[in-house]
């Protein structure tokens, strides 16, 4: 009969420090997303804890603290390019230029060529503005073995550049946190399971995200 090791989420409980009781604030960053209409305040406290406060357009605030020992050190960066809107912009612009520059001796066509071409260029300008608005950059934090999405920061073009100084410091503290993980690996996996349970209770993870991350952690646990 195969032995089964039970993971008790209620035992050996460890609560992260609260923002007002933190001994030291190492760095902070204020991220404003006009696309999502929210402001995110980030602080690294007590070496390997990330404090996050999110406020939306309705002034509703939500706070959470992430234990960096259970955060994947690989910070996912991505850029979304609205290809359809860009294609519309180019298409309208090309048609407008062609209509305005082509030569024709027909009086009726010359009479409406200017307003039609101007209208197409106006559409090109509008779709170009939408393309710029929808061109976004995203920074995503996931848990280490569970690969659950913990935090997603999405902003307009240039958001990642503004976040770069904070990301460098966050990477340094993630390396510090990696050295504070418990060994052997099975003990760390049990700690990570408890951390996912805490984040679910805090409303950071949904039930579906929690169950998916739990399956991934248990798969690593069986290998350990």
């Amino acid at each position: 009969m195969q032995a089964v090791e039970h993971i008790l989420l209620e035992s050996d409980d460890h609560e992260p420090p609260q923002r007002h009781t933190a001994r030291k604030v190492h760095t902070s960053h204020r991220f404003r997303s006009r696309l999502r209409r929210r402001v995110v305040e980030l602080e690294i406290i007590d070496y390997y804890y990330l404090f996050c406060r999110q406020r939306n357009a309705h002034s509703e605030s939500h706070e959470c603290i992430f234990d960096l020992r259970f955060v994947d050190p690989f910070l996912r960066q991505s850029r979304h390019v609205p290809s359809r809107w860009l294609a519309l912009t180019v298409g309208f612009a090309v048609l407008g230029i062609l209509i305005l520059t082509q030569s024709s001796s027909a009086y009726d066509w010359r009479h409406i060529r200017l307003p039609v071409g101007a209208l197409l260029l106006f559409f090109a300008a509008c779709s170009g503005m939408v393309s710029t608005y929808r061109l976004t950059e995203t920074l995503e934090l996931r848990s280490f073995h569970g690969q659950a999405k913990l935090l997603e920061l999405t902003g307009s073009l240039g958001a990642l550049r503004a976040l770069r100084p904070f990301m460098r410091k966050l990477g340094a503290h993630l390396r510090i946190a990696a050295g504070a993980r418990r060994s052997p690996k099975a003990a760390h996996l049990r700690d990570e399971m408890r951390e996912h349970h805490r984040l679910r209770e805090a409303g950071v993870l949904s039930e579906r995200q929690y169950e998916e991350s739990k399956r991934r952690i248990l798969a690593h646990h069986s290998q350990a």
Side-chain angles (χ1 to χ4, degrees), residues 163-187:
L163 279 167
R164 198 166 295 158
F166 180 79
M167 287 192 293
R168 284 197 294 266
K169 294 180 180 180
L170 178 60
H173 284 270
L174 282 169
R175 290 190 290 271
I176 296 174
R181 293 171 184 163
R182 286 210 302 170
S183 62
K185 183 180 179 180

Side-chain angles (χ1 to χ4, degrees), residues 78-83 85 131-132 134-138 154-155 157:
S78 61
R79 178 178 294 168
H80 170 69
V81 179
S83 56
W85 283 102
S131 301
T132 303
R134 287 176 174 259
L135 181 60
T136 60
E137 294 180 338
T138 300
T154 300
L157 186 64

